[in-house]
Amino acid sequence: MQASQNADKWQWLEAELQRLRQHNLYRTLKVLEGAQSSHVLWQGRDMLMLASNAYLDLCNNDEVKRMAVQYILSHGTGSGGSRLTTGTSDIHVQLEETLAGFKGREAAIVFNTGFAANSGIIPALCSSADDVIFSDELNHASIIDGCRQSPGRTIVYRHNDMADLEQKIKATEVRGHGLIVSDAVFSMDGDIVDLPGLVQLAEKYNLLSMLDEAHATGVIGRTGHGTEEHYNLPGCVDILMGTMSKALGAEGGYVCGSQKLIDFLRNKTRSYIFSTSLGPGTMAAALAALQVIEREPQRVHRLQENVRWFCQCLRQEGLADNIPEQAATAIIPIHIGDEAQAVRVSDHLLAEGYFISAIRYPTVKRGQAILRAALMSSHTRQELAQAAGAIARAIAQS
Ligand SMILES: Cc1ncc(COP(=O)(O)O)c(C=O)c1O
């Protein structure tokens, strides 16, 4: 029997696609034709990239690429199995040791993606109906999915609101163990978690603390080591999760913590146990990126300086009300509101040579669409000043 004979069975799917189109929520791919860097090639045109998470421009870095190629030549392309079977080679171990050192922890474990890390470790840690997870309302989807996979209760607290969190902790009986989990740098708003407040509550109520440093590593802290460095609170978080797919320019999620925690996660996390591990080239790229960041903190300083400069330019262009008063990370949300207008502004900017994403529901709340500008250390001041002008014109004309 041919699969297409009964067209009726797909009607619901077409109806849903239609609904997405009607509400300006239908998504399509933009196909880049070369490397990810501050300039990219799209439809044969040179574009200024203002949407990438490759904050330190390491996807296309010579040293990182050379190390990846070297390991592909010596170790091959795939790992051939999950970590606990045949999928652990010396480069996996070296990367985990380096990550642990980078984050000042005893040990680290690498996952295939940041998504697999969050969605795997939360149900591994909170595996009983008696367990409770306290989760920020703006946490990343992978944390939300991790909470959904736990049999424990998830209690969502108001965004970065420690008073609300404390009230909810007090009102909750935790019969098993409790976990507070938060993005370190929120992936759409670009603001930073109130870490002193969060760890104080974790201590006071004997709860585990977990941070997702996807957008913090390589970005915040004097030398790019992340949130604990930013607040000068070394070692204060129990479970430090992150991803190598952003500032590190590679792929793969990780968790850093005590040896006991890492041993537990290796034995209990389904997304780690039942998935073929990442190949040697990717592991080598991440390792080289960490070495570059340790050796060249000036990349982080340039990124942080670019953030200050770009915000200044946006304010000078009359967009002070569209951006946060204090932007301190590489993610700068430019408030638009209406979904259709956000798409028009982004299309306008694409036509002008600027690659910048319109972020809409369900990634952000309905009616709160933004342009999500993401900066790189390699953007020049002139490029950013011109981009700020183009953004202001696009908003005015859309
Ligand atoms: C805060 C946050 N956590 C986790 C992830 C998932 O990481 P990955 O892209 O490596 O799966 C992302 C991004 O995609 C993210 O923004």
Side-chain angles (χ1 to χ4, degrees):
M1 174 168 154
Q2 284 182 343
S4 60
Q5 271 178 4
N6 185 356
D8 283 354
K9 72 179 176 183
W10 293 112
Q11 259 174 12
W12 62 273
L13 190 147
E14 183 47 41
E16 178 59 12
L17 290 174
Q18 198 54 31
R19 191 189 67 80
L20 292 176
R21 286 189 198 98
Q22 272 163 6
H23 289 85
N24 291 307
L25 300 175
Y26 185 77
R27 285 145 204 259
T28 55
L29 301 174
K30 292 191 181 69
V31 181
L32 303 182
E33 290 140 24
Q36 182 90 191
S37 192
S38 60
H39 285 255
V40 294
L41 199 59
W42 179 63
Q43 299 188 341
R45 295 169 56 209
D46 173 64
M47 310 280 293
L48 186 72
M49 172 51 86
L50 286 166
S52 171
N53 296 324
Y55 305 121
L56 297 177
D57 203 356
L58 290 178
C59 292
N60 197 30
N61 174 274
D62 284 343
E63 183 176 338
V64 173
K65 288 193 289 188
R66 255 199 313 274
M67 182 102 144
V69 169
Q70 191 186 316
Y71 266 85
I72 287 175
L73 292 176
S74 62
H75 286 59
T77 49
S79 73
S82 64
R83 287 293 302 278
L84 296 176
T85 59
T86 64
T88 298
S89 68
D90 47 1
I91 187 71
H92 292 86
V93 175
Q94 208 185 331
L95 175 62
E96 287 176 341
E97 286 171 0
T98 306
L99 276 166
F102 190 86
K103 291 289 180 184
R105 293 300 194 274
E106 280 176 6
I109 176 173
V110 164
F111 293 82
N112 289 354
T113 62
F115 204 107
N118 277 335
S119 58
I121 64 179
I122 294 172
L125 289 166
C126 297
S127 60
S128 145
D130 289 339
D131 297 336
V132 180
I133 306 156
F134 297 94
S135 176
D136 187 290
E137 66 176 327
L138 294 190
N139 274 344
H140 188 258
S142 52
I143 295 179
I144 296 171
D145 281 18
C147 295
R148 286 179 182 159
Q149 286 176 49
S150 161
R153 273 175 76 193
T154 296
I155 297 187
V156 176
Y157 60 91
R158 278 205 298 270
H159 176 50
N160 222 358
D161 183 339
M162 295 302 126
D164 187 52
L165 173 58
E166 179 157 30
Q167 201 191 335
K168 287 182 167 146
I169 294 171
K170 278 184 180 163
T172 307
E173 189 193 357
V174 182
R175 285 199 299 272
H177 45 267
L179 170 74
I180 307 175
V181 56
S182 176
D183 279 16
V185 169
F186 288 85
S187 52
M188 295 301 133
D189 290 26
D191 53 339
I192 304 175
V193 64
D194 176 356
L195 184 63
L198 190 148
V199 291
Q200 198 203 346
L201 291 178
E203 279 302 305
K204 184 170 171 188
Y205 295 99
N206 199 26
L207 304 168
L208 294 169
S209 57
M210 171 173 162
L211 276 197
D212 174 340
E213 295 217 289
H215 302 278
T217 300
V219 176
I220 63 171
R222 201 176 47 78
T223 58
H225 284 65
T227 325
E228 291 183 343
E229 186 184 37
H230 174 82
Y231 283 106
N232 198 17
L233 289 171
C236 70
V237 178
D238 295 315
I239 303 152
L240 268 185
M241 176 273 166
T243 173
M244 296 172 285
S245 61
K246 310 215 187 277
L248 271 57
E251 285 169 318
Y254 61 82
V255 176
C256 299
S258 66
Q259 186 66 57
K260 216 180 284 180
L261 169 74
I262 302 308
D263 291 345
F264 177 89
L265 293 177
R266 280 197 210 285
N267 281 278
K268 298 291 262 187
T269 312
R270 291 171 66 81
S271 60
Y272 175 83
I273 298 170
F274 297 106
S275 189
T276 300
S277 64
L278 288 170
T282 305
M283 298 291 87
L287 179 63
L290 286 168
Q291 289 166 350
V292 170
I293 297 172
E294 291 282 28
R295 203 184 56 229
E296 300 172 14
Q298 60 271 25
R299 284 174 183 272
V300 179
H301 303 159
R302 277 202 299 271
L303 175 64
Q304 293 171 349
E305 182 48 41
N306 275 350
V307 173
R308 278 189 284 278
W309 169 248
F310 186 56
C311 289
Q312 192 181 320
C313 295
L314 288 169
R315 286 191 194 99
Q316 276 165 5
E317 294 290 345
L319 295 177
D321 290 343
N322 298 65
I323 60 170
E325 239 167 77
Q326 282 181 338
T329 73
I331 301 165
I332 298 154
I334 303 171
H335 177 78
I336 305 290
D338 180 61
E339 278 85 18
Q341 191 194 0
V343 175
R344 282 198 305 276
V345 174
S346 159
D347 286 349
H348 192 111
L349 286 164
L350 276 176
E352 299 264 309
Y354 297 97
F355 207 107
I356 184 162
S357 310
I359 308 289
R360 295 159 279 164
Y361 176 84
T363 311
V364 292
K365 289 182 183 156
R366 235 182 249 283
Q368 292 189 20
I370 55 168
L371 292 180
R372 178 185 182 275
L375 302 195
M376 288 189 192
S377 53
S378 51
H379 285 131
T380 66
R381 282 165 77 91
Q382 193 189 9
E383 284 167 347
L384 294 176
Q386 286 170 351
I391 292 167
R393 284 194 302 280
I395 292 175
Q397 289 166 20
S398 304

